[in-house]
């Protein structure tokens, strides 16, 4: 068992999947460490859902291997400690929310008390809807229930395929808090979301897919790179320009590489007669980086 708990939550190697003539996934490898939140990003049709389904053994890959929590995903036991929220799902409309949870717990072959099921519904804001039929639930409520299903059996790995697509901003904030609490409990999470801001806020690492291939991957710091400093300045003379070094300018907004000593730079500028209206650290957002990466990802794979 020791080896099993030490192993990464996910180890996926050279996954490949073709549907008829279309190559959906073309040699994708990645790992998710214990307690890590990995964001899966990429345009529609990039292969994100296919990767997730192959990973969970729901779709057979043409090539590649996956280990989940230390076991090959072909081993039926590998799924025991994995929670999954599928991208498209519908629950039996005649069941109540609590019955849906109980059914999935039974299918997972785990024991969960009534109390834990109640807490599970509470966690996603459905505490007072436990005995309501799912058929009357809005899409957002069904998505919340899907999250409860994914989390109810105390998983060590949680896989969420677009968990917030039907949620309002408040619901999204709830999911964000939920993800952060999973992270604190060292539960590993694979999150596929097109809400890049959300990914940026909660993910430790990001994997960007494009046309079935990995276009980029890394920690947010690695992907977003060096920070810069933005200054709003007037009365900038030639001498002040040389103090700034190389900069980009848009009207009175100057962007320079982050200096080692910000106060010293500001003091220097002031000494040269520059009027300093604002100084703020800046960094490309993940959205800007993503668009950049997708724009420059080699054409030959198109
Ligand atoms: N069951 C399927 N049959 C045929 N083509 C499929 C099937 N599932 C996915 N595809 C195709 O594979 C590609 C990747 O799809 P998918 O993995 O759903 O992408 P994403 O989740 O990133 O939007 C798309 O071109 C899609 O049309
Ligand atoms: Mg998808």
């Amino acid at each position: 068992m020791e080896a099993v708990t030490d192993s990464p939550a996910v180890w996926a190697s050279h996954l490949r999947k073709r549907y008829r003539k279309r190559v959906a996934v073309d040699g994708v490898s990645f790992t998710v460490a214990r307690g890590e939140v990995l964001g899966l990003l990429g345009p529609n049709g990039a292969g994100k859902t296919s990767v997730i389904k192959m990973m969970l053994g729901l779709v057979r890959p043409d090539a590649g291997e996956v280990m989940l929590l230390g076991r090959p995903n072909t081993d039926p036991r590998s799924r025991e400690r994995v929670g999954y929220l599928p991208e498209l799902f519908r629950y039996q409309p005649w069941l109540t929310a609590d019955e849906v949870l109980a059914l999935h717990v039974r299918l997972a072959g785990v024991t969960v008390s009534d109390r834990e099921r109640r807490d599970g519904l509470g966690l996603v804001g459905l505490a007072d809807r436990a005995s309501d039929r799912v058929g009357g639930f809005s899409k957002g409520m069904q998505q919340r229930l899907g999250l409860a299903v994914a989390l109810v059996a105390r998983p060590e790995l949680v896989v969420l395929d677009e968990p917030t697509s039907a949620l309002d901003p408040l619901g999204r904030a709830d999911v964000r808090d939920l993800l952060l609490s999973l992270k604190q409990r060292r539960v590993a999470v694979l999150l596929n979301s097109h809400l890049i801001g959300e990914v940026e806020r909660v993910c430790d690492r990001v994997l960007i897919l494009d046309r079935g291939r990995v276009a980029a991957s890394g920690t947010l710091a690695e992907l977003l790179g060096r920070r810069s400093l933005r200054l709003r300045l007037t009365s900038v003379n030639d001498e002040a320009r040389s103090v700034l070094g190389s900069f980009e300018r848009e009207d009175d907004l100057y962007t320079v590489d982050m200096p080692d000593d910000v106060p010293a730079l500001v003091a220097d500028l002031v000494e040269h007669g520059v009027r300093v209206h604002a100084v703020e650290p800046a960094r490309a957002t993940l959205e800007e980086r993503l668009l950049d990466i997708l724009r420059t990802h080699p054409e030959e794979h198109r």
Side-chain angles (χ1 to χ4, degrees), residues 43-50 52 87-88 161-162 192:
N44 291 334
K48 304 179 296 295
T49 296
S50 301
I52 286 175
E87 181 177 35
L88 303 166
D161 197 351
E162 302 279 4
N192 171 21

Side-chain angles (χ1 to χ4, degrees), residues 15 17 19 24-25 28 30 40-60 84-89 159-163 190-194 207 209 212:
L15 289 174
K17 181 71 190 177
Y19 297 101
V25 178
V28 168
F30 63 96
L40 190 55
L41 289 173
N44 291 334
K48 304 179 296 295
T49 296
S50 301
V51 163
I52 286 175
K53 287 185 173 169
M54 283 192 277
M55 196 184 100
L56 297 174
L58 301 171
V59 159
R60 190 196 300 274
Y84 172 43
L85 173 75
E87 181 177 35
L88 303 166
F89 61 94
V159 180
L160 305 172
D161 197 351
E162 302 279 4
L190 180 76
L191 169 68
N192 171 21
S193 172
H194 62 270
L207 183 73
L209 292 187

Side-chain angles (χ1 to χ4, degrees), residues 9 32-38 81-85 120 123-124 146-161 163 173-191 202-204:
V32 186
R34 300 280 179 155
E36 180 175 67
V37 183
L38 177 73
R81 311 243 52 94
V82 180
Y84 172 43
L85 173 75
L123 207 61
V124 298
L147 268 172
V149 167
L151 300 179
V152 72
R154 297 180 300 272
E156 290 169 45
L157 165 66
V158 174
V159 180
L160 305 172
D161 197 351
D174 289 348
V175 171
R176 216 152 45 223
D177 291 345
L178 213 62
L179 289 173
L180 292 173
S181 79
L182 290 174
K183 186 146 101 177
Q184 269 159 19
R185 281 168 24 217
R186 304 237 344 117
V187 175
V189 178
L190 180 76
L191 169 68
V202 296
C203 290
D204 303 304

Side-chain angles (χ1 to χ4, degrees), residues 188-300:
V189 178
L190 180 76
L191 169 68
N192 171 21
S193 172
H194 62 270
L195 295 169
I196 303 172
E198 189 162 284
V199 168
E200 187 165 4
R201 258 179 295 220
V202 296
C203 290
D204 303 304
R205 257 181 345 114
V206 174
L207 183 73
I208 298 172
L209 292 187
D210 183 29
R211 292 157 274 150
R213 297 193 178 206
V214 176
S217 73
T219 61
L220 283 176
E222 283 164 353
L223 286 176
L224 299 180
R226 210 176 139 64
R227 294 169 68 87
S228 50
L229 190 69
R230 240 174 245 166
L231 305 121
R232 193 172 289 284
L233 309 172
T234 52
S235 313
V236 179
N237 47 41
D238 281 343
E239 258 177 77
R241 276 192 196 92
S242 71
V243 170
L244 283 171
S246 70
F247 58 83
E248 278 175 38
R249 178 181 170 194
E250 211 187 312
D251 298 326
D252 55 358
L253 202 58
Y254 293 72
T255 306
V256 298
D257 279 347
M258 181 64 79
D260 295 330
D261 190 342
V262 176
L265 174 70
V266 173
D268 250 13
L269 290 171
V270 170
E271 198 165 307
H272 285 94
V274 176
R275 292 176 59 79
V276 181
H277 302 265
V279 180
E280 59 172 20
R283 187 156 84 170
T285 63
L286 184 56
E287 180 161 17
E288 287 163 345
R289 270 302 282 148
L290 179 71
L291 293 174
D292 224 30
I293 287 165
L294 294 178
R295 255 197 302 270
T296 54
H297 189 218
E299 286 285 328
E300 74 244 33

